[in-house]
Amino acid sequence: SLASTAITCFTRGLDLRKGTEDVLCPANCPLWQFYVFGDGVYASLSSVCGAAIHSGVITNTGGAVRVQTLPGRENYPAVNANGIQSQVLSRWTSSFSVTAGTRNTALEAVGRSVSTARPSTGKRPKKTLDKKAGNKDCKADIAFLIDGSYNIGQRRFNLQKNFVGKVAVMLGIGTEGPHVGVVQASEHPKIEFYLKNFTAAKEVLFAIKELGFRGGNSNTGKALKYTAQKFFSLENGARKGIPKIIVVFLDGWPSDDLEEAGIVAREFGVNVFIVSVAKPTTEELGMVQDIGFVDKAVCRNNGFFSYQMPTWFGTTKYVKPLVQKLCSHEQMLCSKTCYNSVNIGFLIDGSSSVGESNFRLVLEFVSNVAKAFEISDIGSKVAAVQFTYDQRTEFSFTDHSTKEKVLSAIRNIRYMSGGTATGDAISFTTRNVFGPVKDGPNKNFLVVLTDGQSYDDVRGPAAAAQKAGITVFSVGVAWAPLDDLKDMASEPRESHTFFTREFTGLEQMVPDIIRGICKDFLDSKQ
């Protein structure tokens, strides 16, 4: 039988390459994060594992699924089934169906969420090679922020070191697996070792054993802020596109405030976990500055990021559940990904050559691109400007902070009809739409959609937009001249310029635009 390819919670139908593919879905995917379109037959924009749970082929414990590629269709219905609400999609270029797959025992043995499994060649890989690579299914750069205060004392400090050592070993540290470092919090934080220092569990264990107890107040807030800002730089070994995680160990309670540190960590795209041991007793609570310190410091106050152990004794049974959390990269909601850290402005041609019905197809294209992103007040943002000779801001980046509101605002855009001054429109958008967000944390993208020759110069305004840090994708339809499109697009121009004869061809470009935005985001990311 074919080897199954292990996939993530977010792998979509369009990410699979074969007509029929056997895949293995991981366990415990967060149901509320699935995007599924249709029922029985799903648009290829849908999550494969989401569709499999929706259709009842597997449950949330994961399992083997066979995916069959099907042609596109119209009117994918919205149906609520097995805890997942699928969404309506008016049409899409390709679809898939899911049935129960055959289990491949080699992968079953791994039993973890695997992002990409190589098909078996029948030969057993040399054990030594694999050991060096570590656990490739666990994508994480982790700082253990250990408690070195007088609160914990020397004896419990040693027990804490043993626990951290066990976690480090079980993580499967290796060149392609998780990387870890340690920071000790006491009066002043001290980075004991960085991510780049060791890539083998043996070395990490030795380094942890060697750690000396510092003593002093438990200024955990200060240490957390310092770690979020200083620890994860590329020169210190942080890797692009890998979730950044800080695991804060706290014996008792902090001497300082954690709230500001939690905010800074979230701004830096770091996922904060708090492991609290020996929580403050009722008598001690009076000494705690802020009783809600855990909720304010963790990445999200959803229960996933806080972890409790009653004492430092007999902690072995707590190792595995913590490791499983640290390895579920789909749950790292504070990581900056292209889906949650971009501003996308759409510049939409409303000239008379487009016509009302084609204008609807343009809006559908805009919706389908916007739909792929996690739009929220702290996530991605979308804006739209329509232009003829004149420009009209349909909505700005700060107008709508949920996906539903953005999609409904796109649906409500009214067709203007008129001439085509694309250059002016780009200048207008750079100034009025991107101007207010230019110092924000998100990366800026402009998608220009036009169907004809501009009456004014586009090259100057596009160069100014790019200089202002905006990446430009140009999408041309019908009579849009290729020279104009190339002049507007960011470098490399080939991958930022799109053209289709017919408005119906816009739909096929959606995945490429989304992929292009994500590629640029990753290439630019520190």
Side-chain angles (χ1 to χ4, degrees):
S1 79
L2 292 167
S4 318
T5 307
I7 59 175
T8 72
C9 302
F10 297 118
T11 305
R12 298 166 302 179
L14 55 85
D15 299 323
L16 301 177
R17 290 279 167 260
K18 300 186 209 133
T20 305
E21 193 147 353
D22 282 306
V23 300
L24 198 67
C25 285
N28 307 323
C29 287
L31 294 186
W32 52 274
Q33 283 185 0
F34 278 132
Y35 283 105
V36 176
F37 304 89
D39 181 37
V41 173
Y42 300 94
S44 62
L45 201 54
S46 309
S47 150
V48 172
C49 299
I53 294 174
H54 184 265
S55 63
V57 170
I58 56 169
T59 63
N60 206 17
T61 56
V65 177
R66 175 160 286 187
V67 185
Q68 182 71 46
T69 305
L70 300 168
R73 53 158 58 194
E74 301 202 339
N75 303 325
Y76 295 90
V79 174
N80 196 331
N82 300 317
I84 294 177
Q85 171 65 57
S86 74
Q87 302 181 46
V88 175
L89 194 57
S90 51
R91 61 150 167 279
W92 195 251
T93 45
S94 59
S95 316
F96 65 86
S97 64
V98 282
T99 50
T102 48
R103 294 185 165 275
N104 171 302
T105 45
L107 269 176
E108 285 295 26
V110 181
R112 284 187 301 268
S113 147
V114 187
S115 45
T116 45
R118 296 182 311 289
S120 76
T121 52
K123 288 204 282 288
R124 291 194 60 162
K126 288 204 188 77
K127 253 300 180 239
T128 51
L129 281 175
D130 267 359
K131 193 144 174 60
K132 210 168 154 243
N135 176 9
K136 294 179 193 166
D137 320 330
C138 182
K139 298 276 180 250
D141 280 342
I142 304 170
F144 291 114
L145 181 50
I146 61 173
D147 189 338
S149 69
Y150 290 136
N151 265 4
I152 190 169
Q154 179 75 59
R155 178 161 177 248
R156 295 208 302 269
F157 180 77
N158 288 339
L159 292 169
Q160 174 182 230
K161 289 201 311 189
N162 291 346
F163 180 75
V164 172
K166 284 179 187 158
V167 171
V169 169
M170 193 164 215
L171 277 167
I173 294 163
T175 49
E176 295 174 57
H179 291 178
V180 306
V182 169
V183 182
Q184 184 171 170
S186 55
E187 194 67 47
H188 304 291
K190 174 168 188 256
I191 295 180
E192 301 284 0
F193 58 90
Y194 287 104
L195 296 165
K196 65 176 179 191
N197 294 132
F198 309 112
T199 52
K202 258 208 325 275
E203 300 165 350
V204 168
L205 257 184
F206 184 73
I208 290 172
K209 285 212 169 70
E210 293 294 295
L211 293 177
F213 172 58
R214 294 173 68 81
N217 278 322
S218 55
N219 288 332
T220 311
K222 185 176 172 182
L224 176 55
K225 186 174 165 185
Y226 179 80
T227 308
Q229 289 170 324
K230 300 274 189 289
F231 183 84
F232 295 100
S233 65
L234 292 177
E235 54 276 16
N236 289 333
R239 295 169 290 176
K240 282 190 177 186
I242 301 279
K244 303 174 172 64
I245 298 171
I246 298 177
V247 184
V248 179
F249 289 95
L250 246 180
D251 186 299
W253 65 92
S255 325
D256 62 352
D257 185 43
L258 289 189
E259 186 166 13
E260 191 208 348
I263 293 167
V264 169
R266 288 189 284 277
E267 278 171 359
F268 275 80
V270 175
N271 298 276
V272 176
F273 283 78
I274 293 210
V275 177
S276 39
V277 184
K279 285 202 318 199
T281 61
T282 329
E283 303 82 85
E284 290 168 336
L285 275 178
M287 297 154 77
V288 181
Q289 276 194 29
D290 181 353
I291 295 174
F293 65 85
V294 170
D295 292 345
K296 291 191 173 138
V298 287
C299 160
R300 286 280 193 289
N301 184 6
N302 60 1
F304 183 76
F305 294 94
S306 44
Y307 198 66
Q308 272 149 12
M309 303 194 296
T311 73
W312 287 110
F313 296 97
T315 53
T316 308
K317 63 173 178 295
Y318 294 100
V319 174
K320 193 176 175 190
L322 180 58
V323 167
Q324 279 168 336
K325 280 181 187 249
L326 299 181
C327 288
S328 349
H329 52 276
E330 293 91 359
Q331 304 249 26
M332 299 301 163
L333 303 179
C334 288
S335 294
K336 292 213 181 296
T337 66
C338 69
Y339 297 111
N340 68 16
S341 304
V342 295
N343 296 325
I344 307 173
F346 291 94
L347 184 51
I348 304 166
D349 185 339
S351 60
S352 18
S353 49
V354 176
E356 185 73 58
S357 67
N358 284 334
F359 190 72
R360 291 287 125 210
L361 291 174
V362 171
L363 294 184
E364 205 167 293
F365 166 84
V366 171
S367 288
N368 284 333
V369 173
K371 217 175 241 167
F373 293 87
E374 294 160 30
I375 299 164
S376 74
D377 49 354
I378 59 165
S380 289
K381 314 238 186 317
V382 171
V385 172
Q386 186 178 175
F387 71 99
T388 53
Y389 282 139
D390 220 4
Q391 306 86 29
R392 182 169 79 199
T393 302
E394 301 291 353
F395 55 93
S396 75
F397 287 125
T398 47
D399 286 345
H400 303 299
S401 59
T402 69
K403 188 178 300 196
E404 290 65 46
K405 285 187 177 141
V406 164
L407 296 177
S408 123
I410 294 169
R411 274 197 300 275
N412 291 326
I413 292 176
R414 297 283 154 260
Y415 174 48
M416 281 164 78
S417 185
T420 313
T422 316
D424 258 3
I426 293 174
S427 301
F428 171 88
T429 309
T430 302
R431 190 173 59 247
N432 298 327
V433 176
F434 286 98
V437 296
K438 72 170 185 300
D439 300 324
N442 288 1
K443 183 160 170 55
N444 293 316
F445 292 90
L446 174 62
V447 180
V448 183
L449 291 128
T450 178
D451 82 324
Q453 174 91 49
S454 176
Y455 294 110
D456 60 1
D457 166 60
V458 295
R459 186 176 294 177
Q466 291 169 33
K467 210 168 160 184
I470 302 165
T471 302
V472 182
F473 284 87
S474 59
V475 178
V477 190
W479 306 109
L482 203 55
D483 288 347
D484 272 13
L485 296 173
K486 284 220 166 100
D487 281 345
M488 291 189 283
S490 287
E491 299 282 354
R493 300 219 152 121
E494 289 58 55
S495 58
H496 291 83
T497 309
F498 293 86
F499 177 76
T500 168
R501 271 270 158 257
E502 307 286 339
F503 281 89
T504 48
L506 283 171
E507 198 171 14
Q508 271 121 34
M509 294 178 184
V510 170
D512 297 325
I513 298 272
I514 295 167
R515 230 173 258 145
I517 290 173
C518 284
K519 183 178 183 326
D520 287 346
F521 174 81
L522 263 182
D523 289 347
S524 73
K525 207 174 149 254
Q526 284 312 302

